[in-house]
Amino acid sequence: GTLVLRPGITYFARVFNGQYSNVVNWSVNTCFTATPTPTVASLTLNKDVRNLSNPNTGVFNSVSAKPGDILEFIITVGNSGNSVANNIRLSDFLPSQLQYMSGSTTVDSSFTPDNLTTSGIFLGSLVTNQIKIVKFRAIVAGESAFGSGTIQLTNIARAETDNAGTVSDSAFVSV
């Protein structure tokens, strides 16, 4: 049968191991029904940039560049939830003064078709705590594309999924 324990009642039981017996007692202070943890995918996105033309530059959210410099953008897409994030699609929106370098997109170090800055790329699904790292390169336009003074360019990445919404992040280039 099933024993249903109730708060405030002391219970007794005789325990016998074949040679010795003993009486055990216990009481229940609180009874509760556990609330199940909801299963939710939680998409994350982080975007950084590195100026490959300047060997003293690391990976940051914002870098300085000159016309003609080659930049590498790094996008990290992850799932910090406790359920699978399904059918992730990633797009990147380059400002007109940055030109995508054909053949430069990689996903986890494997080259992928050049659709990131046009129609976007499909990353598949991510399990809990899994990430994918997407990298691509762009060249800063020539001087004629800029007026006088410093201009800040904003490069936006956006990831969307069937069950965890849409996230975006930006990296900045001062020219």
Side-chain angles (χ1 to χ4, degrees):
T2 301
L3 175 63
V4 176
L5 303 177
R6 293 188 171 81
I9 298 176
T10 301
Y11 295 89
F12 298 91
R14 181 169 298 279
V15 179
F16 181 69
N17 71 358
Q19 185 176 5
Y20 302 101
S21 75
N22 198 358
V23 174
V24 177
N25 66 54
W26 72 93
S27 62
V28 177
N29 292 327
T30 306
C31 289
F32 64 91
T33 302
T35 303
T37 302
T39 56
V40 177
S42 181
L43 200 60
T44 61
L45 188 143
N46 185 63
K47 176 131 190 200
D48 289 308
V49 60
R50 171 175 40 199
N51 186 339
L52 297 176
S53 298
N54 182 347
N56 299 322
T57 303
V59 175
F60 299 103
N61 184 253
S62 179
V63 297
S64 294
K66 299 182 308 242
D69 282 358
I70 296 174
L71 308 174
E72 180 176 59
F73 291 93
I74 301 101
I75 306 166
T76 304
V77 180
N79 177 12
S80 62
N82 61 3
S83 180
V84 175
N86 295 315
N87 300 318
I88 299 166
R89 295 158 308 278
L90 178 67
S91 300
D92 193 273
F93 305 95
L94 281 174
S96 62
Q97 299 94 334
L98 297 178
Q99 181 182 359
Y100 174 79
M101 293 180 68
S102 182
S104 68
T105 302
T106 62
V107 176
D108 292 337
S109 300
S110 295
F111 286 97
T112 192
D114 287 332
N115 299 331
L116 180 62
T117 60
T118 55
S119 60
I121 59 174
F122 181 70
L123 297 179
S125 297
L126 294 175
V127 298
T128 299
N129 296 322
Q130 182 181 6
I131 63 168
K132 289 194 183 263
I133 298 174
V134 178
K135 296 180 181 183
F136 73 93
R137 294 180 180 180
I139 189 165
V140 179
E143 289 183 28
S144 63
F146 302 95
S148 62
T150 301
I151 295 177
Q152 181 171 300
L153 306 176
T154 302
N155 178 225
I156 302 168
R158 183 180 69 210
E160 57 186 318
T161 180
D162 291 350
N163 62 331
T166 301
V167 293
S168 63
D169 194 20
S170 301
F172 305 95
V173 179
S174 294
V175 182

